[in-house]
Amino acid sequence: MTIQPAIQLHRRFSITWLRSPWAILASAILGIYLGSSHPVIATAIAPLGELYLGLLKMCVFPILLSAITTSIGRLMASHDAGQYIRRILIVFPVGLLLSSVIAMIAAMILGPGRNLSEATLETLGVVVNNSGISLEMSLTGPIPQEESANIASFFIGMVPDNIFLALSEGQTLKVLVFAIIFGVSLGFLKEQQANSVFEVLDAVYQSFNQLIHWFTLILPFGLCSLLAYQLSRQGTDVMLAMINFIGVTLATFFVIYVINTLIIWQRSKQSIWTVLSSVREPVILALATSSSLACLPSAISQLSEELKFKRQTVNLVTPLSITLCRFGSVVYFALGTIFVAQLYQTSFGFTELIIVLFGAVFAGMATSGVTGVLTLTMLGLVLEPLQLPLEAVLVLFIAIDPLIDPFRTLGIVYSGMATTAVIADSEEQFSTH
């Protein structure tokens, strides 16, 4: 009789500890140690991190499809539709432009590409020259298709001609557009007909949300594996040569993190410690997985369940802001453009600054559904009008991307959460209306 309660107590303690910040901290420290000191072990345990990331991504599209469709449908059927649509149309563009402005100011003041030493310039030149042939070969493959893309083709490509193909190929933007159109059509159906569909979608959402809750038990193991593998892949020469740009980039993302925290704190009416505790999980996931989609279920859950924002609005706005706005990419492209201009000692007037401001926004939005090196090639959308070379510097950005990508993802996810906080009402505010 005494053994069974002891076993249950031990099981509860283990589960509680696995979900505690101490387990996350311990796994992060172990991952950093293995990645920096034992790259062979880091490579050996990499499949564990890939498995965890795959489990998270498995839940993304069902949650995205059910949450967006249900939220759009119910919003269209409610009297609050116009109010939230107006908020989205105002907050999204303002947030994107502010992100670009902050990055431009940081780059112009701190000057990551100015006054570089001869040794640093020589190292950067060697990297570019040594990679010229292989880069040219890669640019004759699939990359030019992305470079030749324009804004019109981007918007045309958003519409899925086969939703099942889009789902199977993981084309997030097309799935998002389908969910929006489907949700709008449901909003105009008779209430009884639409409710039956909403109930099914709600069940899908709750089921996969429960899976996400279970997967948090293996987060420490996945985090350790992912961190170790990422650190084991990074070189040192280019990192040291690009240290100014890396430092300015990380500092800019930190400033944006603080601003977003203050926004969520002010809008949620919770204590600052409650806010920091609530956002911990999506922040850790962003840094560990470098996948904004993998963070989406956690971001939705924390905003609605822990910070008490209205669930219907959170389910609608969070996927839209994370998928469409891509704040982290906007910041990075603005920083990168100013860095390249400083590297080539090109001065900017008012017209050029306007091109950077809006070009970074459009280039960032164009990264929706794009991964890997193709994300970085979107920088060409900003550099080309300024007559700055992409091919000559692309390899530099590729070399440091394993370090920068997690923070760029954090910028996308956390800024998306702050945007949701600005648009959504808390449950307390909503109940008083």
Side-chain angles (χ1 to χ4, degrees):
M1 295 295 292
T2 58
I3 296 178
Q4 189 66 24
I7 294 176
Q8 292 178 351
L9 182 62
H10 176 72
R11 185 180 302 167
R12 289 177 185 174
F13 175 78
S14 301
I15 292 175
T16 302
W17 189 85
L18 286 173
R19 288 181 172 147
S20 70
W22 300 111
I24 301 299
L25 179 62
S27 63
I29 293 174
L30 180 60
I32 293 172
Y33 170 73
L34 292 176
S36 57
S37 303
H38 301 281
V40 176
I41 297 178
T43 303
I45 64 174
L48 179 60
E50 292 297 323
L51 173 63
Y52 176 69
L53 188 56
L55 289 172
L56 287 180
K57 288 183 176 180
M58 175 186 72
C59 302
V60 168
F61 281 108
I63 288 179
L64 180 68
L65 193 58
S66 58
I68 285 288
T69 303
T70 304
S71 299
I72 287 278
R74 286 175 172 161
L75 181 63
M76 296 302 297
S78 71
H79 64 277
D80 295 326
Q83 172 187 355
Y84 284 111
I85 290 174
R86 284 193 297 271
R87 289 186 186 181
I88 289 172
L89 293 177
I90 293 173
V91 174
F92 277 16
V94 170
L96 288 166
L97 290 174
L98 282 177
S99 299
S100 186
V101 167
I102 292 172
M104 290 172 61
I105 292 174
M108 288 187 292
I109 292 177
L110 300 176
R114 289 197 301 259
N115 303 322
L116 298 180
S117 66
E118 291 294 330
T120 299
L121 292 173
E122 183 179 351
T123 301
L124 295 179
V126 168
V127 171
V128 172
N129 292 332
N130 286 346
S131 62
I133 298 176
S134 62
L135 183 59
E136 184 177 353
M137 290 176 62
S138 66
L139 289 176
T140 59
I143 294 181
Q145 298 176 5
E146 297 294 333
E147 286 192 330
S148 63
N150 51 42
I151 299 299
S153 63
F154 167 67
F155 283 108
I156 293 173
M158 290 169 59
V159 181
D161 52 6
N162 186 331
I163 184 56
F164 299 103
L165 181 63
L167 285 167
S168 65
E169 294 182 351
Q171 298 175 347
T172 312
L173 198 55
K174 292 186 177 183
V175 174
L176 181 63
V177 170
F178 170 80
I180 293 172
I181 296 173
F182 185 30
V184 170
S185 66
L186 283 176
F188 286 96
L189 288 180
K190 293 180 180 179
E191 183 177 353
Q192 185 175 2
Q193 294 175 317
N195 282 341
S196 60
V197 179
F198 290 149
E199 289 176 2
V200 173
L201 292 174
D202 274 334
V204 172
Y205 175 83
Q206 295 296 341
S207 298
F208 281 91
N209 205 35
Q210 181 62 55
L211 284 177
I212 292 291
H213 181 69
W214 289 339
F215 292 157
T216 57
L217 292 175
I218 58 174
L219 171 59
F221 307 103
L223 175 61
C224 176
S225 172
L226 290 167
L227 277 179
Y229 182 61
Q230 286 181 9
L231 289 174
S232 68
R233 292 187 302 159
Q234 295 176 13
T236 57
D237 292 341
V238 180
M239 294 291 178
L240 294 175
M242 293 281 286
I243 192 66
N244 286 356
F245 177 73
I246 293 172
V248 171
T249 300
L250 297 184
T252 304
F253 279 125
F254 177 75
V255 169
I256 291 175
Y257 175 87
V258 172
I259 293 173
N260 289 331
T261 300
L262 294 175
I263 290 173
I264 296 174
W265 171 54
Q266 194 277 330
R267 290 290 298 167
S268 67
K269 309 300 181 184
Q270 308 272 1
S271 70
I272 189 66
W273 302 115
T274 301
V275 171
L276 292 174
S277 176
S278 300
V279 303
R280 182 183 68 242
E281 183 178 298
V283 166
I284 291 173
L285 283 175
L287 294 174
T289 66
S290 298
S291 171
S292 57
L293 283 182
C295 306
L296 184 55
S298 176
I300 292 174
S301 174
Q302 297 304 311
L303 284 169
S304 57
E305 296 176 12
E306 300 297 329
L307 295 174
K308 307 302 180 184
F309 287 103
K310 187 184 175 188
R311 177 186 160 188
Q312 178 180 316
T313 311
V314 170
N315 287 348
L316 168 64
V317 178
T318 308
L320 284 175
S321 60
I322 290 177
T323 306
L324 285 178
C325 292
R326 315 297 286 178
F327 296 98
S329 297
V330 172
V331 170
Y332 192 58
F333 289 157
L335 288 169
T337 302
I338 301 295
F339 168 73
V340 173
Q342 292 171 349
L343 203 60
Y344 284 89
Q345 300 180 358
T346 301
S347 59
F348 278 173
F350 178 77
T351 302
E352 288 78 13
L353 291 176
I354 292 297
I355 292 175
V356 176
L357 175 65
F358 287 94
V361 170
F362 286 118
M365 294 180 66
T367 62
S368 298
V370 179
T371 58
V373 177
L374 296 182
T375 299
L376 300 176
T377 63
M378 294 300 173
L379 183 60
L381 295 176
V382 197
L383 295 179
E384 185 177 349
L386 299 170
Q387 297 183 342
L388 291 171
L390 171 66
E391 293 85 354
V393 296
L394 181 59
V395 65
L396 300 177
F397 292 104
I398 293 175
I400 65 171
D401 203 55
L403 175 64
I404 298 297
D405 193 22
F407 295 94
R408 189 169 62 238
T409 303
L410 176 60
I412 293 172
V413 174
Y414 203 42
S415 296
M417 293 176 68
T419 302
T420 303
V422 173
I423 295 173
D425 293 318
S426 66
E427 291 289 355
E428 179 180 352
Q429 291 171 325
F430 182 72
S431 63
T432 59
H433 288 172

